[in-house]
Amino acid sequence: MREFLDAGFGHVVEPGLIEIAYSGTDGGAITRARLFDNTPAGRSEAATFAARINAETGVNCYFAPSLRKIDTQRDKRAKKVNVLGSPMVWADFDAEGAAEAAKPIYERKGLAPHRAIVTGRLPAKRAQAFWFLDALVHDQRELDELLAGVHVGLDFVADPKVVNADRVMRLPGSIAWPKPGKEGRAAELTELHTPGGAPVAPYAIDQVRAVFPPRDPVAARKGQNLAPGGDLLAHSAPVAGVAGFPATSAPAAREKPVSASPVAQEREFDMLGRRVDGRDEYAMQVIGGAIRNLTAKLGRYPTAEEIAADAWPTYERHCAPKKPLPGEPVREGLEREGRGPTWFGQKCQTHAERARTGAIAGLETVEKCQAAVAALGGVVAFAAPSDPTSLFPFWRQKDLAAIPLTDFVYSDFYARGYSSVTVAEPKIGKSLLGLCEAIDMATGRGILTGERRDPLRVVYYNAEDDQSVIDSRVAALLAHYGIAQAEIEGRLAAVSGVERDDFFFASGPEGAINEPLFAAMGGFVRLTGAAALIFDPLQDVSRSPETNDVFRLIGQRLRRFASEHHVALGLVHHTRKLQAGISATIDDARGGGALRGTARFNRVLAGMTPEQAEKAGVASHKHFFRIADLESNLAPPSADVNRWFEKVSVEVPNGARIGAVVPWQWPDAFEGITVTDAERVRRTVAADVAGFGADVRCTDWIGIRVGEELGFDASKKGAGRERARSLVSAWIASGALVERTVRDGRAGREQVRVFAGEESLSTVTTVKCG
């Protein structure tokens, strides 16, 4: 949604409002609307609002291609008098086969739309096309005539009713809920596409007029080809060239046969929306734009090297090999297919010479280049608010009680609208924990938290383990906790990504975001109502280098996705390789701490050390791990900030033994100690007027006597000594035992001794060992 709004409205500098219109839950009449400023922040708010209302079953969501005047009421549908102007023209292809029929027509005329929206495929493909303009068309009659011209120029294959200036159109990325009376339709996610040959810059209005001459709107609706003055005209129109290149007619030999298959029609792009066909035409467009912009900037025609340096990054970012080889970089694949740097450099050399000799139409002189750039608003197309004071709004009184609370869906870690990062070294248990948390959310039992909640729909996507491994882990958790499959059916999606080649958040050396995947995930969330999505591990859902910049880009995009779709995201992430004995922190995540700053919640998992296992009295430290302190991992292992877990082996129905994770409590030193036991210890201490040694190294250390009275050995290093140490520390802190410094006559020095205090030992009932 946001990508389309930015592409269609981001170049407009005149203040205006974007209208997001929507229906009721019956999917019918479009009676409601909300209007937003055409600024980066406003477009983000518009996309977020649209995603939220569209998530309700039956509510169809639309946008107005024409901007509304800045003083239009913002909470109701705009009227025709509120239209400010349109930065685009459009066509709607609702009839079966219309979209397929339109494509060869606009290709032949040399004016591809900037974006196309597939609004549905059942019972037949339906689509809309949009041509962006370099300036607003303010006159509504002029816009109506332009829209009628597009309809006529496409040989009347578009819907004749959709040629009015105040029209609203489907918002890409939204769910098209079936309307009443529309037989054969189903709820479908609308798709955003960039057609082959689509330019980067908007078209000049005169260029659109040349290809699609304005027509009489009323006559166009009747299937008549009348000019605005009423003269009957032929359907054909002259073909105009792309800005910066001469007008040409496409040779018949280059026309492609129309295929009835939607897949065949859209094979021009790979899964990332990069061109694999039409690369020659696109190269000409970016080279032409580079020549125009560099000439205006430098005051002279650029060299071939300067053109290549400016144009190649854009070409490489938007094009890809038609038949890529596994693991092959994009640049090498393009070069292998004859559309890489060598070929591109030759094209730059040719057009640099053409520019120098004045052979490129529209760019015959430096002055014409500068005029062309000025007409497009300058070389740099950064967006800025028309009102500078809107950059940082000052505080205004608001209802403080209405400030929304964080919407936690699970524990204090997963919250709607935010991403949460779990970092751990390999083999600690993070995958087991993530899956167990997903099952806990799906059942609502609170098996890890002790808090029952309503069951939720949740996705656990594991990109490094086979589906059979994941299924076995689910089986082990169900068996251990006594959960029937019916409790997770339709609620838990535990999916392996090992066999999937199309699921990755980013690719390429710079971390190009896979927007088609995010659009598909958005549709999944809205169609299913999923509350949380957990991805494990993060580096396996990226095809980019593990750098700070890449993970920052991925993290920012995931955070925006969580906010736009009001869903909780969990990201399981590995640490980099650490030196032995070094405890991991959140900043030790692969890619550095860049990811940390994009997430609202971060946690580190730490495995139990051999020393901790000895203190806790467990046989092997390898079976235990904890959610450690957020930033430093420096809290004592027995502190309440740590939540401990044990990895246990569970027999599953197929006879295998599979690991599962269960909560585990650090031993309580007072477990099993009665009031009678505590008073017996106090009497023993009180009976010895000399007291007992306070240092564990003393032969008469108080802990040894405590162990003897309570039935465990504290004389040797191990769990018994740690338990005695914990008991003595707790009793001293409470005043039941006291430390005094006395002089040791035999040793001739002062020594700290422990004596009975005034308080009863039974006043202290719990303390963690260690």
Side-chain angles (χ1 to χ4, degrees):
M1 295 180 182
R2 172 69 186 277
E3 192 276 336
F4 179 83
L5 296 178
D6 283 342
F9 298 103
H11 63 289
V12 178
V13 296
E14 189 173 349
L17 302 178
I18 297 172
E19 179 178 351
I20 301 296
Y22 56 102
S23 70
T25 54
D26 63 350
I30 311 168
T31 57
R32 309 166 193 181
R34 186 75 61 83
L35 280 71
F36 301 86
D37 290 312
N38 182 29
T39 62
R43 293 190 292 272
S44 177
E45 291 175 12
T48 301
F49 172 78
R52 180 169 58 83
I53 60 170
N54 184 234
E56 186 173 1
T57 302
V59 177
N60 281 309
C61 193
Y62 306 83
F63 79 101
S66 297
L67 288 172
R68 297 347 189 183
K69 295 175 182 176
I70 199 70
D71 58 354
T72 305
Q73 188 170 331
R74 298 189 177 215
D75 59 355
K76 61 186 295 186
R77 286 296 311 275
K79 300 179 180 179
K80 204 160 188 175
V81 296
N82 302 124
V83 173
L84 170 67
S86 179
M88 64 187 78
V89 292
W90 57 88
D92 182 83
F93 309 107
D94 207 41
E96 183 174 355
E100 289 82 356
K103 183 178 179 182
I105 299 174
Y106 66 65
E107 284 182 340
R108 185 173 65 251
K109 293 176 178 289
L111 202 77
H114 290 84
R115 297 291 187 275
I117 302 171
V118 176
T119 59
R121 297 186 182 275
L122 297 174
K125 180 179 177 181
R126 305 180 301 280
Q128 298 169 345
F130 297 86
W131 291 260
F132 301 150
L133 307 175
D134 63 353
L136 289 179
V137 180
H138 291 91
D139 187 280
Q140 293 187 38
R141 178 66 184 179
E142 180 185 3
L143 179 58
D144 287 347
E145 292 172 352
L146 274 174
L147 293 169
V150 172
H151 172 60
V152 174
L154 293 173
D155 291 346
F156 297 93
V157 298
D159 188 338
K161 299 187 295 296
V162 189
V163 292
N164 52 306
D166 57 341
R167 168 68 54 174
V168 293
M169 308 288 277
R170 286 279 186 186
L171 187 61
S174 67
I175 299 169
W177 300 100
K179 288 184 178 181
K182 298 287 188 178
E183 297 297 330
R185 295 193 181 183
E188 297 182 81
L189 178 67
T190 57
E191 309 163 17
L192 180 62
H193 296 272
T194 303
V200 176
Y203 289 119
I205 296 176
D206 287 342
Q207 189 177 0
V208 176
R209 286 195 186 100
V211 177
F212 298 127
R215 295 293 186 263
D216 182 88
V218 176
R221 293 189 187 100
K222 298 177 181 179
Q224 298 174 347
N225 184 5
L226 296 181
D231 295 330
L232 186 64
L233 298 172
H235 290 182
S236 60
V239 179
V242 176
F245 290 92
T248 59
S249 296
R254 296 185 62 185
E255 294 184 8
K256 300 176 183 178
V258 178
S259 168
S261 167
V263 175
Q265 288 290 315
E266 290 157 13
R267 183 60 187 91
E268 296 174 352
F269 298 88
D270 68 2
M271 64 187 68
L272 289 178
R274 298 174 302 191
R275 291 169 175 80
V276 295
D277 279 333
R279 293 172 295 188
D280 296 41
E281 293 83 354
Y282 185 70
M284 298 307 97
Q285 291 172 21
V286 295
I287 291 172
I291 292 173
R292 179 193 63 209
N293 293 338
L294 288 171
T295 303
K297 179 181 179 181
L298 301 173
R300 60 172 173 80
Y301 288 115
T303 64
E305 290 75 16
E306 290 170 332
I307 297 170
D310 186 82
W312 169 259
T314 301
Y315 173 84
E316 184 181 26
R317 190 162 54 248
H318 291 94
C319 294
K322 182 179 291 188
K323 296 181 179 179
L325 301 178
E328 180 183 50
V330 170
R331 179 177 296 205
E332 293 181 10
L334 289 170
E335 185 72 10
R336 176 175 50 79
E337 294 183 353
R339 292 297 181 270
T342 301
W343 169 82
F344 195 84
Q346 293 170 350
K347 293 292 182 183
C348 291
Q349 185 69 47
T350 299
H351 289 286
E353 180 63 23
R354 291 187 65 214
R356 189 184 63 80
T357 58
I360 300 180
L363 305 182
E364 294 90 349
T365 66
V366 171
E367 290 72 24
K368 283 193 174 183
C369 290
Q370 293 171 332
V373 168
L376 292 175
V379 175
V380 181
F382 294 120
S386 55
D387 178 9
T389 63
S390 67
L391 278 171
F392 312 108
F394 288 100
W395 183 273
R396 292 183 179 178
Q397 290 195 31
K398 61 185 70 177
D399 183 358
L400 300 181
I403 298 174
L405 299 173
T406 302
D407 187 1
F408 287 102
V409 299
Y410 185 76
S411 184
D412 57 355
F413 189 66
Y414 295 96
R416 290 185 184 272
Y418 297 102
S419 53
S420 305
V421 175
T422 298
V423 173
E425 296 179 73
K427 307 303 180 181
I428 291 294
K430 54 187 176 297
S431 294
L432 288 176
L433 179 62
L435 180 58
C436 191
E437 289 175 327
I439 291 176
D440 209 359
M441 283 185 252
T443 63
R445 285 192 177 201
I447 56 178
L448 295 183
T449 65
E451 178 186 354
R452 280 190 170 271
R453 298 193 60 166
D454 292 335
L456 302 170
R457 280 186 169 174
V458 58
V459 172
Y460 171 79
Y461 184 91
N462 187 308
E464 66 179 0
D465 291 315
D466 294 333
Q467 190 65 51
S468 60
V469 173
I470 297 172
D471 291 345
S472 296
R473 289 175 181 170
V474 171
L477 288 165
L478 297 184
H480 181 81
Y481 289 104
I483 299 171
Q485 289 191 60
E487 289 190 55
I488 63 172
E489 187 175 9
R491 295 190 186 129
L492 174 70
V495 181
S496 168
V498 171
E499 301 297 329
R500 299 198 61 169
D501 295 327
D502 59 347
F503 198 102
F504 49 90
F505 295 144
S507 69
E510 297 179 0
I513 298 299
N514 186 356
E515 290 298 342
L517 173 62
F518 279 94
M521 290 198 306
F524 175 88
V525 170
R526 290 193 295 276
L527 284 168
T528 64
L533 284 73
I534 300 172
F535 299 102
D536 175 20
L538 182 61
Q539 67 269 14
D540 282 1
V541 283
S542 168
R543 292 184 177 177
S544 294
E546 295 178 8
T547 64
N548 282 19
D549 289 340
V550 166
F551 279 122
R552 184 179 293 108
L553 288 172
I554 293 174
Q556 290 170 343
R557 185 62 184 90
L558 288 166
R559 171 67 183 272
R560 181 155 63 88
F561 177 86
S563 177
E564 289 175 348
H565 299 284
H566 197 53
V567 66
L569 294 183
L571 310 175
V572 179
H573 199 34
H574 288 310
T575 62
R576 55 185 171 83
K577 190 173 182 179
L578 301 174
Q579 293 181 355
I582 301 297
S583 297
T585 72
I586 195 68
D587 290 325
D588 290 316
R590 290 190 184 179
L595 189 65
R596 163 190 170 186
T598 67
R600 175 70 182 273
F601 306 100
N602 298 276
R603 65 183 179 186
V604 178
L605 304 186
M608 182 180 282
T609 66
E611 294 76 17
Q612 291 167 353
E614 187 176 55
K615 290 180 180 180
V618 298
S620 174
H621 67 282
K622 297 180 181 179
H623 298 156
F624 301 88
F625 67 93
R626 61 189 167 114
I627 298 176
D629 191 24
L630 173 62
E631 298 295 343
S632 65
N633 213 7
L634 295 179
S638 59
D640 289 338
V641 72
N642 295 288
R643 288 176 53 207
W644 281 95
F645 300 91
E646 181 181 5
K647 293 177 281 188
V648 299
S649 178
V650 179
E651 185 174 346
V652 296
N654 67 1
R657 297 200 67 84
I658 305 298
V661 63
V662 299
W664 182 79
Q665 291 290 331
W666 189 272
D668 187 338
F670 280 90
E671 185 176 357
I673 298 177
T674 66
V675 172
T676 302
D677 294 333
E679 288 302 321
R680 186 173 69 253
V681 171
R682 187 176 184 281
R683 287 195 301 270
T684 299
V685 176
D688 194 327
V689 295
F692 294 86
D695 193 312
V696 70
R697 293 169 294 183
C698 295
T699 56
D700 65 342
W701 176 50
I702 179 66
I704 297 175
R705 179 56 59 89
V706 168
E708 291 172 349
E709 291 295 331
L710 298 178
F712 62 86
D713 184 7
S715 63
K716 300 177 182 178
K717 186 178 180 181
R721 175 177 291 183
E722 294 302 325
R723 185 182 186 189
R725 194 199 304 265
S726 298
L727 291 170
V728 171
S729 297
W731 281 328
I732 290 175
S734 70
L737 299 177
V738 295
E739 291 182 327
R740 298 192 188 114
T741 301
V742 298
R743 185 167 183 79
D744 185 342
R746 288 182 302 175
R749 57 183 174 80
E750 293 185 336
Q751 185 183 42
V752 178
R753 307 286 290 176
V754 179
F755 301 88
E758 299 298 327
E759 298 293 331
S760 170
L761 269 64
S762 62
T763 59
V764 183
T765 59
T766 181
V767 65
K768 298 291 179 65
C769 294

